[in-house]
Amino acid sequence: MNRFTRRIGAVGVLLLLAGSLAGCGSGGDSGGAGGASSGPMDATKAGLPKSADDISGTIDKTKVKKNLVVGVDNPYYLFHHDIDVALAKGYFKEFGIDSVDIKTIEDPLPPLIGGSLDLALYDTDTAIAAAKKSGQGLRFLSVYLGGEANVLGVGKGINTGADLKGKTITGGQFGSRNDAIIRQLLRDNGVEPDRDVKIVSTGGQSNERLQSVIAGTVDGASIQLRHRTVLEKAGGKVLFEETREVPQSGWSANKLLQESPETVTAFLAATLKARQFITDQANKDEVLTIMRDKKFEIPTEYADAYAAENAPDYHVSDGGFKPADMDKFISDQITYKTVPDGTDWRQYTYLLPLWRAQKALGLPLNPALADM
C-alpha cells in the first residue's frame, strides 16, 4: 500500500462506542436488490442478489442526500481528483448530490464511525480490520487504488544489485507492509536483506524516504512512482521496481450506508464516472488544470507520473477488484498483524452500491456475482 501500516488500536474505543448502526435502510440497495436491512450489510452469499438482473442501475435522486462530507487521508492530488473532477464536470448533480466537502484527515475512521463523515477513503485492510473489531455497520465499498508499486530508489553511485553490498535500505517502519515488500523486492533481485544490506526502520511517509535518499541519510528506500524524476535530477535512480494488483485503498461508509444507501450508490456512480474520465489519458491536461485550480501543487515531475498513477489497472477505472487478489492481500495483512486472525473480508464488504453504480454507467459488474 506504499504507506505505513495504520494503527487501529486507538480507534477501538470509538468503534465500541459507535453503537449499533444496523437499523433499517432507506433506499433501494439494502440486503439484496431492494428493501430494508435487518442487520449489518455484507457481500457473503446469503446477502447477494441472485442474478445481475436483480441489480438496479436506476438511482432515485429523491432518496439521495444532497450535501456530503467525506474524509481523505492523503493530501496528494491523486486521492482527491475523483471528487473534484466529478464536481467540476457536474457528475454529482447528475446523480442527485449538490455538494461534497472534502476533509483531509490523517485517520478518517474515528470521524466516520462517530458520524461526522459520510464516507472515507482509506487503506482497505485498516477499514476491514476496524469493521471486524466494531461488529457494527462499517463496511468497505469499492477499491480506489488497485495497483501497488514496489519501487527501490537509490542514491548516487549505485547502479547494480552488487553495488548495494553493505548499504543502508529502508522500507519505512519495521513490521509495515512497505518493509515486507521492499525486502521481497530485494530478494527477487538477488539481494538478501540483513545479509547483503542493512535494513533500518524509519518514520514518515514516502516523501520523507525520498528526501532521506537524496540527503544521503540512507542509501536506498521504498519510494513512489512519482518520485522517479525528482530522484534522477538529484543524481539517483530507480534500481528495482515492480507493480502488482493489490486492492490497497478504497471507500468505506458507516452510518450513511444504513440511513441512505441510495446516496452511497449515487456517490460511487459520480466518482466512477469521473474516474472513467481521469483514466482516459487524453484528458490529462484538463484533469491537472482542474486540480491546480483547486490549489494542488503538481510539479512537472509529478505530472510526468500521470500515466502510471492513473492507469486503469492502478487507479482502477471501475472500482472493482479480483476476489483472489483481496484474499491474498488480507491473508498477507493477517500475517503482518494489521488484520485480526480469522477475518473474512466478505463479511465486512458490501458491494451492492458498487454494482448498482457500475450498472448505472453501463459497466460490467466487477467483481462478478459468480466470483463472490
Side-chain angles (χ1 to χ4, degrees):
M1 67 188 63
N2 288 317
R3 284 180 296 187
F4 286 146
T5 300
R6 308 297 184 182
R7 296 180 180 179
I8 61 174
V11 302
V13 173
L14 283 170
L15 291 170
L16 294 173
L17 292 177
S20 177
L21 298 175
C24 292
S26 62
D29 53 52
S30 302
S37 170
S38 59
M41 304 168 180
D42 64 42
T44 56
K45 290 183 178 179
L48 291 178
K50 293 181 180 179
S51 74
D53 291 338
D54 294 328
I55 298 172
S56 172
T58 301
I59 296 171
D60 185 348
K61 292 193 282 188
T62 67
K63 295 180 179 179
V64 172
K65 186 177 177 180
K66 301 302 180 186
N67 304 299
L68 300 178
V69 181
V70 304
V72 176
D73 77 314
N74 196 315
Y76 184 50
Y77 91 97
L78 178 69
F79 295 85
H80 296 247
H81 63 1
D82 281 18
I83 294 172
D84 285 326
V85 169
L87 287 168
K89 303 292 286 184
Y91 300 154
F92 280 119
K93 288 189 179 295
E94 178 182 340
F95 294 104
I97 297 171
D98 289 338
S99 70
V100 180
D101 183 16
I102 308 173
K103 304 292 185 185
T104 304
I105 305 168
E106 184 175 353
D107 182 354
L109 282 182
L112 179 67
I113 294 162
S116 60
L117 294 179
D118 293 305
L119 298 107
L121 178 57
Y122 203 51
D123 295 339
T124 304
D125 57 326
T126 309
I128 289 173
K132 179 177 176 64
K133 287 193 172 187
S134 73
Q136 302 297 332
L138 178 64
R139 291 293 177 265
F140 183 75
L141 301 171
S142 73
V143 169
Y144 194 83
L145 294 184
E148 181 177 64
N150 191 8
V151 181
L152 176 65
V154 296
K156 295 178 181 179
I158 300 175
N159 300 302
T160 67
D163 293 334
L164 289 175
K165 186 75 173 181
K167 297 296 193 293
T168 301
I169 307 294
T170 184
Q173 188 178 44
F174 282 163
S176 70
R177 181 171 177 83
N178 280 336
D179 178 59
I181 64 176
I182 203 68
R183 290 171 186 265
Q184 187 59 53
L185 182 64
L186 289 167
R187 292 190 185 98
D188 290 346
N189 287 276
V191 180
E192 184 58 36
D194 300 320
R195 184 194 68 191
D196 300 329
V197 297
K198 180 181 180 181
I199 305 292
V200 297
S201 182
T202 56
Q205 293 191 3
S206 58
N207 285 345
E208 286 79 11
R209 294 196 295 274
L210 170 69
Q211 292 305 318
S212 293
V213 175
I214 292 174
T217 307
V218 295
D219 299 299
S222 169
I223 61 172
Q224 294 279 10
L225 295 170
R226 61 183 175 271
H227 295 144
R228 180 192 302 272
T229 306
V230 179
L231 182 59
E232 289 174 349
K233 285 185 175 180
K237 66 175 57 179
V238 168
L239 188 61
F240 306 139
E241 68 177 299
E242 62 184 21
T243 302
R244 299 178 291 180
E245 292 186 14
V246 178
Q248 58 169 301
S249 70
W251 287 106
S252 298
N254 190 14
K255 191 173 181 179
L256 182 67
L257 186 58
Q258 306 299 328
E259 294 182 345
S260 182
E262 202 77 0
T263 304
V264 176
T265 298
F267 177 86
L268 291 179
T271 52
L272 287 181
K273 187 168 183 177
R275 197 177 310 177
Q276 297 281 311
F277 184 85
I278 291 165
T279 55
D280 181 343
Q281 299 298 315
N283 298 322
K284 171 184 173 179
D285 290 343
E286 184 175 350
V287 172
L288 292 180
T289 296
I290 289 170
M291 298 312 293
R292 286 177 173 133
D293 287 346
K294 292 285 187 176
K295 308 305 181 186
F296 283 88
E297 293 186 11
I298 310 173
T300 300
E301 293 85 358
Y302 287 6
D304 289 344
Y306 187 97
E309 292 188 326
N310 288 291
D313 58 350
Y314 189 84
H315 184 45
V316 286
S317 58
D318 62 3
F321 59 92
K322 296 176 183 175
D325 291 339
M326 187 70 83
D327 286 338
K328 184 178 187 310
F329 177 52
I330 296 302
S331 176
D332 287 346
Q333 297 311 100
I334 290 173
T335 300
Y336 302 147
K337 307 299 183 184
T338 63
V339 174
D341 287 341
T343 298
D344 178 359
W345 61 266
R346 289 170 176 81
Q347 287 184 278
Y348 309 103
T349 301
Y350 188 59
L351 296 180
L352 191 52
L354 173 64
W355 284 327
R356 291 190 62 209
Q358 290 170 341
K359 199 163 188 178
L361 298 174
L363 301 172
L365 302 188
N366 182 28
L369 275 171
D371 293 337
M372 292 299 295

